[in-house]
Amino acid sequence: RKELEKERKARILADEILQQKSRNLLLISKELKLKNLELQSNLDQKSNQLQGIFENINDAYVVIDLDGKVLNLNENAEELFGFKYDEVNKPSIFNFIHKEDIEYALKSLEKLKKEGYLTNYISRIITKSKEVKWIQINISLVFDKRKKPTKAQGIVRDITDIKELEYQKENILKELKESNKELQEYAHIVSHDLKSPLRSLNALVNWVKTDNKEIFNETTIDNFKLIEETIESMDNLITDILEYSSTRLNPKYNADVD
């Protein structure tokens, strides 16, 4: 009777531990799920803003000679670079390129003269007011009657807002992945903590049955069978939760987010 009373108390304690761990897992899972939904919503919002900017952005038009000196530009370009065009004192386009992008710009100019065009050239510029902006240029050479290149003309787009949105999008994706990683790690830890008392309880039940099988009546045997089935059901439930979290947070499952 003493041993049975000890086993009964152990079973009650194990049930309390299981219930507490289950409640903790449920609360953390709900909290992380809400955070994931919030991050996903922010990601969708930034993607929609990004698409809207691409559809409605105003373009600037620039003409340069083969050394990069500005020959002409429209009002949008004047507004973008922050200066009024002066036919007498023609600035070089390199006066506006960010110092860290100068080498890249020089190589791109040589590529332009060699291949005749540049597509989606992206660089930073410094406006007259010292503001840093990101631009995207599609530019091609202009030839004279003798098929000799004399200048280049291009469309310049201010993609500063787009770059900022892309940066925010990358941060949101990073937070989303970190959140998923934390949820997966927590699921593994909690599942292990939940299964440990289950294994102990199952061992105790088997031990009690083995030591007392000759004195237990049929009703007691049925009760032990019910306990074992409940333990197995709880073990399967924990396994299912772990498998679900592993599948739900798998990078391949979330490929559409990337």
Side-chain angles (χ1 to χ4, degrees):
R1 285 197 298 270
K2 290 182 178 179
E3 292 298 330
L4 287 176
E5 180 63 18
K6 185 186 297 183
E7 298 305 323
R8 187 185 69 82
K9 292 181 179 180
R11 187 167 63 253
I12 292 174
L13 179 60
D15 287 340
E16 291 176 352
I17 293 174
L18 287 174
Q19 292 178 9
Q20 184 61 42
K21 293 291 184 179
S22 296
R23 284 194 293 268
N24 290 341
L25 178 61
L26 180 61
L27 291 174
I28 295 296
S29 298
K30 286 182 177 180
E31 181 180 345
L32 290 174
K33 184 178 180 181
L34 289 174
K35 185 176 180 180
N36 282 349
L37 290 174
E38 180 182 352
L39 290 171
Q40 183 64 54
S41 176
N42 289 338
L43 180 62
D44 292 340
Q45 181 181 358
K46 296 302 180 183
S47 296
N48 291 335
Q49 292 178 11
L50 189 64
Q51 184 63 33
I53 290 175
F54 267 119
E55 293 174 353
N56 299 288
I57 197 167
N58 292 322
D59 295 335
Y61 174 75
V62 177
V63 180
I64 61 174
D65 65 16
L66 299 183
D67 294 322
K69 184 175 293 186
V70 177
L71 301 178
N72 201 356
L73 69 168
N74 64 0
E75 291 182 0
N76 288 332
E78 289 181 340
E79 182 177 351
L80 172 62
F81 290 99
F83 79 99
K84 291 294 182 179
Y85 176 65
D86 184 353
E87 292 187 2
V88 178
N89 300 312
K90 295 182 176 66
S92 170
I93 195 69
F94 294 103
N95 293 345
F96 302 97
I97 299 295
H98 194 285
K99 63 179 181 179
E100 295 180 4
D101 297 339
I102 289 292
E103 184 177 353
Y104 173 54
L106 289 170
K107 291 180 179 179
S108 298
L109 181 60
E110 292 303 314
K111 181 179 179 181
L112 169 64
K113 290 189 283 187
K114 181 179 178 180
E115 299 182 4
Y117 65 92
L118 284 178
T119 303
N120 295 332
Y121 165 82
I122 295 177
S123 177
R124 288 167 292 179
I125 62 170
I126 306 293
T127 67
K128 189 175 182 180
S129 60
K130 306 302 180 181
E131 181 182 2
V132 178
K133 291 186 177 182
W134 283 92
I135 59 169
Q136 180 189 66
I137 300 177
N138 289 290
I139 190 169
S140 60
L141 294 177
V142 178
F143 298 87
D144 60 17
K145 295 180 180 180
R146 295 174 293 178
K147 305 295 183 180
K148 181 180 179 181
T150 58
K151 56 187 176 181
Q153 60 180 357
I155 298 297
V156 184
R157 288 183 175 179
D158 182 355
I159 59 171
T160 305
D161 291 340
I162 295 172
K163 278 291 185 179
E164 178 62 26
L165 287 173
E166 288 178 347
Y167 175 74
Q168 294 178 21
K169 181 178 179 179
E170 289 175 0
N171 285 340
I172 291 173
L173 281 174
K174 183 178 179 181
E175 290 181 23
L176 185 60
K177 290 178 180 179
E178 287 296 324
S179 176
N180 286 343
K181 182 180 178 181
E182 290 175 5
L183 178 58
Q184 191 171 21
E185 291 176 350
Y186 183 81
H188 279 280
I189 293 173
V190 172
S191 66
H192 178 271
D193 291 345
L194 288 173
K195 284 195 172 189
S196 181
L198 276 181
R199 287 191 291 267
S200 299
L201 182 58
N202 188 57
L204 289 172
V205 169
N206 287 327
W207 176 66
V208 172
K209 282 177 57 180
T210 301
D211 288 355
N212 301 276
K213 61 182 179 180
E214 296 180 355
I215 62 175
F216 284 155
N217 57 31
E218 185 176 347
T219 301
T220 303
I221 295 297
D222 289 340
N223 288 335
F224 273 105
K225 183 178 180 180
L226 182 61
I227 293 173
E228 291 173 334
E229 291 175 350
T230 302
I231 293 174
E232 182 180 2
S233 176
M234 187 64 183
D235 184 80
N236 291 335
L237 178 60
I238 296 170
T239 300
D240 290 342
I241 291 174
L242 180 59
E243 290 180 351
Y244 172 79
S245 65
S246 298
T247 302
R248 186 71 177 86
L249 302 176
N250 190 286
K252 292 183 179 179
Y253 186 91
N254 293 302
D256 56 329
V257 176
D258 293 335

